[in-house]
Amino acid sequence: MNDRAGSGRAARPFLYVVVCAAGVAEDVGRLIDAALKRGWEAGVIATPVAMGGFFDVADAEARTGRPVRSAWRTPGDPRPFPAPDAVVVAPATFNTVNKWAAGLADTLAVATLCEASGLGVPVAVLPCVADALAAHPAYGESLARLRGMGVRFGDPYTGEDGEGGGRPGFGWERALDLLERP
């Protein structure tokens, strides 16, 4: 791989991790660690609601060595991240998926997803949507539209208790696997 340091790019491929407001977001450090172990550099972009306590922002910053972003920078501010080589959205909520598919770029997180799609950057998504919301017709239409744009989806995760009462694990590394497929 080319050393891109002189161009403002990371020497290793750079992964944007988009975090949405779902309970499983508290474990996003597992995804960051897995990405770093696989040779990525990473930066986290969170929805504004996710910033309200859904994950440990300071921990994510310590793991990546970069600030967690949730708001747009002003025109004179330097870019805190290089352009992405890939994007992971995990957990991806009903709201974010629908806004993204509709092109409603009202947050930095959704605007980043809309832009990545337009630039042809590979995007992997791990949805975390309750069955009742997933049954809404807009959600199915959004998934179809995003798949048609080349977005790669992991299996849905509802967060509902499984058999035996415990919640099933969230497949954080599955997002990275989706990026590695041809």
Side-chain angles (χ1 to χ4, degrees), residues 125-128 153-157 170 174 178:
V125 179
L126 297 180
C128 184
F153 283 88
D155 293 333
Y157 180 87
F170 190 72
R174 177 69 178 123
L178 289 167

Side-chain angles (χ1 to χ4, degrees), residues 23-132:
V24 296
E26 68 187 0
D27 291 328
V28 73
R30 293 178 57 194
L31 172 59
I32 295 167
D33 289 346
L36 296 173
K37 188 175 182 178
R38 292 190 191 192
W40 293 92
E41 286 191 54
V44 175
I45 299 172
T47 64
V49 177
M51 292 291 287
F54 281 85
F55 71 106
D56 186 335
V57 173
D59 180 68
E61 290 177 341
R63 289 173 194 263
T64 64
R66 298 178 182 271
V68 170
R69 298 191 60 209
S70 182
W72 281 277
R73 64 184 177 82
T74 58
D77 290 341
R79 294 181 182 273
F81 301 164
D85 293 290
V87 178
V88 165
V89 190
T93 60
F94 176 83
N95 194 42
T96 295
V97 167
N98 287 321
K99 288 195 310 182
W100 176 19
L104 300 175
D106 64 340
T107 67
L108 177 62
V110 178
T112 298
L113 297 173
C114 290
E115 188 174 75
S117 299
L119 293 171
V121 173
V123 181
V125 179
L126 297 180
C128 184
V129 177
D131 287 339

Side-chain angles (χ1 to χ4, degrees), residues 132-166:
L133 289 173
H136 192 285
Y139 185 69
E141 292 167 8
S142 294
L143 293 177
R145 174 177 271 180
L146 293 170
R147 282 187 178 110
M149 294 165 46
V151 175
R152 303 165 186 186
F153 283 88
D155 293 333
Y157 180 87
T158 65
E160 301 293 324
D161 289 344
E163 292 183 29

Side-chain angles (χ1 to χ4, degrees), residues 1-5 8-17 32 34-43 64 66 81-87 121-122 176 179-180:
M1 179 161 297
N2 294 334
D3 177 37
R4 299 173 293 177
R9 302 276 302 187
R12 297 186 301 163
F14 201 88
L15 179 68
Y16 283 12
V17 176
I32 295 167
L36 296 173
K37 188 175 182 178
R38 292 190 191 192
W40 293 92
E41 286 191 54
T64 64
R66 298 178 182 271
F81 301 164
D85 293 290
V87 178
V121 173
L176 300 172
L179 292 175
E180 293 171 358

